[in-house]
Amino acid sequence: MISLTLAQLAQAVRGQLRLAGSDAPDTVVSGLVDTDSRLIGPGDVFVAKPGETTDGHLFVPAAAEAGAALAIVERHVDVDISQVVVADAVASLADLARFVVARVREDGDLRVVGITGSNGKTTTKNLLARILQDEGETVSPRASFNNEVGAPLTMLRVAESTRFLVSEFGASAPGEIARLAGLVEPDIGIVLMVGLAHAGGFGGIEATLAAKSELVRALRPGGLAILNADDARVASMAAPAAERGVAVRWFGRGASADVRADDVEVTASGTAFVVSCDGESLPLRLRVLGEHHVMNALAAIAAATALGVSLAECVARLETVELAERWRMQPLGSDRVRIINDAYNASPDSMAAALRTLAQIVEPGQRTVAVLGAMSELGEHSAEEHDRVGLLAVRLGIQRIVVIGPDARRMYLEAVSQGSWDGEAIFFPTADEAFDYLVGELRDGDRVLVKSSNSAGLRFLGDRLGESFS
């Protein structure tokens, strides 16, 4: 965080400053800001956020012992540390993020890029951050820090020397992206796709479209919207962009896109394609598994080139990326039995993309195995979409389908009903039972996809399988 006096910080969050020890209103703080006391170090600021299972105020003593300079609290805690008492700790976190980013913009050359979409946000964020970090100090989210807490925490890592802030905006209900993006008014906004991820919270695909459009409406006038030309719903956001006085830059696979991919070839070692941008074309070999990541790479290139990075530099830097993020199309195991752990998140679109990748990367004599768990937050669409996954697995010719957990059982039932099979699909209530089966079942040449939403916990099963066959 930038350097602020205790008095300035208290004013920014509209709180009451209560000093401790030798601190004075003009005492300066400049450490990191976090809600996790385990990550607090000397000079940091601890935000005591009430939670569903515990209360951050219980950890103020631990933060003080770790050397925190200040605690932001909703009630005063009897600990020898200066505190700012606020009405709402999460709202104050947002207020502080808004203040800090505005101050850096005022005094420096900070450019802000916001990313949203039903799928691909974290991968795109990582690819873009990789390109930009060689241009100047770049701040981007850890993991998927994209909600009302994670996004402001990322923003608060901005310092006076920061040149680029890449923010990821997720949402489970209307209005959340507008609030988060409104904290920083991005210069550039990337919208990747509109799908059924979190549809249960939004109330349907059209409501999801309206929510994702909030990023375009939050861009500062004169900014740039980078839109997926291949997604009709995303393409419709050109209208609100024009209303906002925002230019549009298109990415996609079609000839009309400003940043385009041609000659796409998917293999077990990554995806090769030719990227064309502003009249220039270069080959790119992306080591991140999956054809769907081509679009994420195009979006990152569209943003980076708009910020002045050459296409050649974009390509060279992207080719150094080996893994988008842990548990996202992460290769584990060995050449003998390859495990692809993609179980950090799942939606109908990402599930279909992962299954298609599995079908594309096998060579003659190799077997495809899909280990599948439930997709969460689909609301009334859940039953239908789980059926679709089971049907798709059959139509792609996946040779062994292992479905885990009662919430995913419909995938298994649909696979059995659609395929004239004899034991190719199997169901297990728990991951432990599936692990025991798979350890004995997998053989040389198998290519295994592990895919589910985070809540299903199959990412840990993927790790166990990777270790067993390493």
Side-chain angles (χ1 to χ4, degrees):
M1 185 181 71
I2 63 174
S3 298
L4 295 173
T5 67
L6 293 178
Q8 287 174 323
L9 194 150
Q11 183 177 13
V13 300
R14 295 171 291 177
Q16 178 186 6
L17 177 60
R18 298 187 63 168
L19 297 170
S22 60
D23 286 346
D26 60 356
T27 297
V28 174
V29 292
S30 60
L32 294 177
V33 180
D34 215 301
T35 58
D36 188 339
S37 62
R38 296 168 296 183
L39 302 178
I40 292 295
D44 291 347
V45 177
F46 174 62
V47 181
K49 179 180 73 72
E52 294 180 3
T53 58
T54 188
D55 185 348
H57 294 79
L58 300 175
F59 300 96
V60 173
E65 186 176 347
L70 178 72
I72 298 175
V73 297
E74 294 183 1
R75 61 179 184 275
H76 187 260
V77 180
D78 188 17
V79 177
D80 187 23
I81 180 176
S82 292
Q83 300 171 43
V84 175
V85 183
V86 297
D88 185 319
V90 173
S92 294
L93 192 63
D95 288 339
L96 185 58
R98 180 188 293 109
F99 180 85
V100 166
V101 172
R103 176 67 67 85
V104 175
R105 274 188 183 278
E106 197 175 290
D107 298 338
D109 188 30
L110 178 67
R111 304 296 298 277
V112 180
V113 181
I115 303 172
T116 195
S118 298
N119 299 110
K121 295 183 293 296
T122 299
T123 298
T124 304
K125 170 261 298 185
N126 287 339
L127 296 178
L128 178 57
R130 173 62 193 92
I131 296 172
L132 295 178
Q133 70 186 29
D134 288 351
E135 298 294 312
E137 183 179 310
T138 301
V139 170
S140 63
R142 303 193 303 262
S144 292
F145 270 35
N146 60 24
N147 62 11
E148 62 179 358
V149 174
L153 287 178
T154 298
M155 297 169 189
L156 286 167
R157 289 168 46 212
V158 165
E160 291 87 346
S161 56
T162 303
R163 186 172 174 193
F164 302 106
L165 168 63
V166 181
S167 287
E168 180 182 338
F169 299 128
S172 57
E176 291 183 14
I177 292 174
R179 285 193 295 274
L180 295 175
L183 299 178
V184 292
E185 284 194 318
D187 301 283
I188 296 176
I190 300 172
V191 185
L192 297 166
M193 64 176 298
V194 174
L196 281 173
H198 311 297
F202 289 113
I205 193 69
E206 293 307 316
T208 304
L209 168 60
K212 301 304 181 186
S213 299
E214 291 170 8
L215 174 56
V216 174
R217 299 180 190 278
L219 297 177
R220 56 179 45 208
L224 177 67
I226 294 177
L227 304 180
N228 182 348
D230 299 347
D231 185 314
R233 293 187 176 91
V234 175
S236 72
M237 296 180 194
E243 294 170 6
R244 184 74 175 168
V246 165
V248 173
R249 187 164 169 82
W250 301 99
F251 68 95
R253 303 278 289 273
S256 63
D258 299 303
V259 182
R260 186 181 75 250
D262 295 302
D263 303 328
V264 177
E265 180 184 1
V266 181
T267 69
S269 60
T271 305
F273 57 99
V274 174
V275 57
S276 298
C277 174
D278 300 328
E280 184 180 7
S281 296
L282 291 173
L284 192 162
R285 178 167 289 278
L286 194 64
R287 287 192 272 180
V288 181
L289 291 180
E291 185 175 0
H292 49 296
H293 291 309
V294 170
M295 294 296 282
N296 301 330
L298 292 178
I301 291 170
T305 51
L307 289 168
V309 185
S310 71
L311 178 60
E313 289 291 353
C314 290
V315 168
R317 294 167 192 175
L318 288 179
E319 288 187 337
T320 69
V321 179
E322 298 183 9
L323 179 66
E325 188 87 28
R326 186 183 180 192
W327 298 319
R328 286 179 168 87
M329 298 302 287
Q330 181 180 8
L332 300 171
S334 64
D335 289 339
R336 185 172 67 87
V337 176
R338 176 64 66 201
I339 310 296
I340 302 170
N341 193 353
D342 193 33
Y344 186 83
N345 230 330
S347 68
D349 293 308
S350 69
M351 187 73 81
L355 285 169
R356 290 192 181 99
T357 296
L358 177 64
Q360 288 173 320
I361 65 173
V362 291
E363 298 176 359
Q366 297 178 339
R367 184 175 64 157
T368 51
V369 181
V371 182
L372 308 175
M375 301 176 288
S376 61
E377 300 183 62
L378 293 178
E380 64 182 13
H381 304 282
S382 181
E384 176 186 1
E385 294 303 326
H386 282 86
D387 288 348
R388 288 180 186 274
V389 171
L391 173 60
L392 179 63
V394 172
R395 289 185 173 173
L396 288 173
I398 305 301
Q399 292 158 283
R400 184 59 51 93
I401 300 174
V402 180
V403 178
I404 302 170
D407 292 340
R409 187 176 174 84
R410 290 189 68 118
M411 292 182 190
Y412 163 73
L413 296 174
E414 184 70 10
V416 170
S417 68
Q418 293 293 333
S420 55
W421 294 8
D422 181 18
E424 286 87 349
I426 189 167
F427 172 80
F428 294 100
T430 70
D432 286 340
E433 292 171 280
F435 176 78
D436 292 340
Y437 164 78
L438 288 163
V439 166
E441 169 66 21
L442 297 180
R443 61 187 189 225
D444 287 2
D446 283 351
R447 298 297 178 255
V448 185
L449 170 70
V450 182
K451 180 71 174 170
S452 75
S453 283
N454 202 343
S455 58
L458 296 198
R459 61 196 185 281
F460 303 118
L461 171 63
D463 287 344
R464 292 175 67 191
L465 290 172
E467 184 176 346
S468 295
F469 291 97
S470 62

